[in-house]
Amino acid sequence: MRRLSLIAVTGIVAAGLSLSACGSDSLSTNPGSGGGSTPAGSSAAGGGVDQALAAKVPAKLKSAGKIVVGTDPTYAPNEMLASDGKTVEGFDVAVFDAVAAKLGLKTEYVPAGFGTIILGVTSGKYDVGVSSFTINPDRKKQVNMVSYYSAGTQWVVAKGNPEKVNMDDVCGKSVGAQKDTVQAEDLAARSKKCTDGGKPAITQVIQTGQDQVTADVASGKTVAMLADSPVGLYAVKQTGTLEALGDIYDSAPYGYVIPKDQTDFANLVVDALKAAKADGSYEAALKKYSVEAGAIDDFAVNP
């Protein structure tokens, strides 16, 4: 549940964990058959155009023939860079490609720092923000948010928990999270509780990209990290050197970020999600990345 106001594990090598980040200004088209924008009706999830919905697409997007999407591809398996270091992929991409396909539009993904995406949407730099944004009151004041998935927070530690981390008492320990996320706020609140109780503060190791947060716990720089549940569990699966600690908590919906003055378009995206759900392309996108446990069917604007 990212993301207050994101891990790209790109490979395992014999010496350990290999991680990669991305440049924030380069354009990355969505995965299709290797480069280029995905054509309408041929998304990764396999959906087709819904002509009735396509007829309602705003004139600006219809003229462009595409949706420009701001995303932070350091959050595998939600948003991540493919092996070419340029193409953005992940379950978030696959689901939104299915949505765009219903509208007869292509997608272009622009890598960006997570904390800059909402501003990019409100300023017109991006048409939509797709980056595991947890829906919360502060964000709904700035933009419209369309719910499409549910995730919570997962703690992750080194396999076997050698530091005997207790997530309810990490006072004085080094714990990582990504900047501008709900997890960073969670850590800050826990640290304050420590100091209010006369205990040492948590050493909060806050990184710009989730990939570095994961690298920190894998290397032992931190004893634990907090991340969205699909991201934390993916890190455990990919690395083989980490394990989940405790249960997932504070589950909440992810939302697409859409300008506040484009409520009609936001409602159209809801209808496109419903169409993708009906034809199976929504579930297919989630199953591709083994994250179907967070599927929802109550898609809505600003739930």
Side-chain angles (χ1 to χ4, degrees):
M1 171 185 64
R2 200 179 191 168
R3 302 179 167 203
L4 159 63
S5 331
L6 217 194
I7 117 188
V9 179
T10 59
I12 308 300
V13 295
L17 180 66
S18 173
L19 298 160
S20 71
C22 64
S24 62
D25 298 320
S26 60
L27 174 66
S28 175
T29 53
N30 69 318
S33 55
S37 298
T38 292
S42 63
S43 77
V49 181
D50 184 309
Q51 297 297 340
L53 298 180
K56 299 178 182 179
V57 170
K60 177 186 174 183
L61 295 179
K62 188 175 293 186
S63 176
K66 66 183 180 182
I67 302 174
V68 177
V69 183
T71 191
D72 175 0
T74 71
Y75 217 56
N78 303 16
E79 310 92 24
M80 55 190 174
L81 293 180
S83 58
D84 63 7
K86 297 178 181 179
T87 304
V88 181
E89 60 185 13
F91 95 74
D92 248 356
V93 173
V95 171
F96 193 71
D97 281 352
V99 170
K102 291 300 174 193
L103 303 178
L105 297 171
K106 299 177 182 178
T107 50
E108 287 188 355
Y109 293 88
V110 182
F114 178 72
T116 70
I117 295 172
I118 288 181
L119 179 59
V121 171
T122 58
S123 68
K125 183 176 182 179
Y126 315 124
D127 298 314
V128 177
V130 179
S131 210
S132 306
F133 284 95
T134 301
I135 298 177
N136 62 32
D138 288 341
R139 288 185 177 139
K140 289 193 287 186
K141 291 176 183 177
Q142 304 174 65
V143 292
N144 283 309
M145 302 200 75
V146 175
S147 58
Y148 64 93
Y149 188 80
S150 180
T153 291
Q154 176 70 63
W155 282 61
V156 174
V157 297
K159 199 165 188 176
N161 194 11
E163 299 297 326
K164 307 301 179 187
V165 176
N166 175 355
M167 55 190 286
D168 294 321
D169 183 10
V170 287
C171 303
K173 297 183 181 294
S174 295
V175 184
Q178 188 185 15
K179 183 180 179 182
D180 295 323
T181 65
V182 292
Q183 286 82 21
E185 277 207 336
D186 187 338
L187 267 187
R190 289 171 185 268
S191 186
K192 184 178 185 301
K193 185 177 180 180
C194 289
T195 55
D196 286 351
K199 296 181 179 181
I202 297 170
T203 299
Q204 302 165 62
V205 183
I206 309 300
Q207 302 284 10
T208 301
Q210 177 62 41
D211 48 359
Q212 187 57 54
V213 177
T214 302
D216 286 345
V217 69
S219 69
K221 180 178 179 178
T222 58
V223 301
M225 74 173 189
L226 289 71
D228 284 5
S229 49
V231 172
L233 295 175
Y234 183 79
V236 168
K237 179 180 178 180
Q238 291 296 101
T239 64
T241 61
L242 301 175
E243 69 178 40
L245 178 69
D247 296 326
I248 296 168
Y249 61 92
D250 287 348
S251 293
Y254 282 165
Y256 298 138
V257 174
I258 296 173
K260 197 69 174 174
D261 62 354
Q262 294 182 24
T263 302
D264 288 345
F265 178 54
N267 281 306
L268 183 62
V269 170
V270 169
D271 290 339
L273 279 162
K274 291 177 179 178
K277 180 85 171 185
D279 77 358
S281 54
Y282 171 81
E283 277 85 359
L286 299 181
K287 287 180 179 178
K288 180 178 179 181
Y289 294 92
S290 302
V291 295
E292 58 268 31
I296 64 171
D297 54 18
D298 52 344
F299 311 113
V301 178
N302 300 325

